[in-house]
Amino acid sequence: MSDPLSPRALRLQSELRKASPQSFADRLLEFLQEKGGSRYDEAVTQLEHALQAAWLARQARANAAMVVAALLHDLGHLLMDEFEGRSDFLSNDLLHERIATSFLEAYMPQEVLDAIRLHVPAKRYLCSVDPSYLNHLSSASRRSFALQGGVMSDHERRSMEAEPFLDSALQLRRWDDLAKIAGKAVPAPQAYHADLMEVRLLA
Ligand code: FE
Ligand code: FE
């Protein structure tokens, strides 16, 4: 398989390698703003989705790790230039949660990485333990649910329950599903600069 990262994402990767915590936060926020203008689903752009999720975390007084996990949980889509309008969007599962996790691995504490890695299985988990959860999902999210494997088997559910950061992943998932409101006013990316620096220093 050829490298799934876009040329711009590869450039970001090399910038982050030598970045101080300050410029680490700068470069990531720049990237979100530069690439986040494409549509995530019917209602919001990818940047709007990220900012709404981060704001829900902030309003819930979550720690910096969870605020950053909310902000960056769909970074994988941007790293691969995946968006609605590309012919294979939501019909080909490019595993954005794993792409983001391995991209961020060297720079983030385990809680952030696990919450991001598990945000897709968390949707499958929530729908498995509570079938009504599916009804609250956006239509794009319901479509990708099937593609991502649908309801979990008992075995998958048990291994999910053994995850040390299961609660963080489920919490992130609930914010994710609420972060799709057209036109909602939320703080700018810069509001999360200090959180990114803090989390970078925890790694
Ligand atoms: Fe996602
Ligand atoms: Fe999301």
Side-chain angles (χ1 to χ4, degrees):
M1 197 175 95
S2 62
D3 199 316
L5 300 188
S6 71
R8 175 64 180 91
L10 290 170
R11 205 164 79 234
L12 175 67
Q13 188 172 51
S14 75
E15 288 168 356
L16 294 185
R17 266 193 209 113
K18 40 188 190 269
S20 65
Q22 162 88 39
S23 71
F24 175 83
D26 291 340
R27 297 290 87 75
L28 269 174
L29 292 176
E30 271 167 25
F31 181 78
L32 281 182
Q33 291 175 95
E34 191 183 314
K35 302 301 289 179
S38 56
R39 224 132 259 281
Y40 174 81
D41 72 357
E42 43 288 273
V44 290
T45 65
Q46 306 213 54
L47 178 61
E48 288 169 333
H49 178 59
L51 294 176
Q52 288 186 26
W55 182 234
L56 288 166
R58 172 78 88 228
Q59 285 178 306
R61 300 185 186 285
N63 63 17
M66 287 302 291
V67 170
V68 166
L71 183 72
L72 300 181
H73 76 277
D74 278 336
L75 182 69
H77 287 312
L78 300 181
L79 293 171
M80 295 184 287
D81 255 334
E82 257 193 311
F83 52 87
E84 187 182 74
R86 243 180 77 154
S87 57
D88 55 355
F89 185 67
L90 293 178
S91 65
N92 227 339
D93 190 350
L94 299 179
L95 302 177
H96 69 285
E97 68 280 23
R98 295 195 207 162
I99 292 290
T101 307
S102 67
F103 189 88
L104 295 170
E105 197 155 31
Y107 314 111
M108 298 269 158
Q110 207 55 45
E111 182 175 14
V112 179
L113 299 172
D114 282 1
I116 293 177
R117 176 176 57 85
L118 294 171
H119 85 272
V120 173
K123 173 171 68 177
R124 296 182 55 218
Y125 180 84
L126 287 167
C127 291
S128 304
V129 297
D130 174 10
S132 73
Y133 197 84
L134 191 61
N135 303 328
H136 303 296
L137 297 177
S138 69
S139 68
S141 192
R142 257 176 281 163
R143 267 197 293 158
S144 59
F145 172 70
L147 191 66
Q148 289 155 346
V151 168
M152 282 186 163
S153 67
D154 289 350
H155 172 74
E156 287 174 308
R157 221 167 55 214
R158 277 195 301 276
S159 76
M160 192 71 181
E161 283 161 0
E163 288 286 348
F165 289 109
L166 174 66
D167 290 345
S168 303
L170 298 181
Q171 184 55 260
L172 171 58
R173 186 67 225 186
R174 294 190 185 94
W175 294 327
D176 184 3
D177 291 326
L178 294 169
K180 298 174 182 180
I181 298 175
K184 182 177 177 180
V186 292
Q190 210 49 32
Y192 306 103
H193 192 275
D195 303 272
L196 281 164
M197 278 182 65
E198 181 182 335
V199 165
R200 175 68 191 88
L201 288 164
L202 291 173

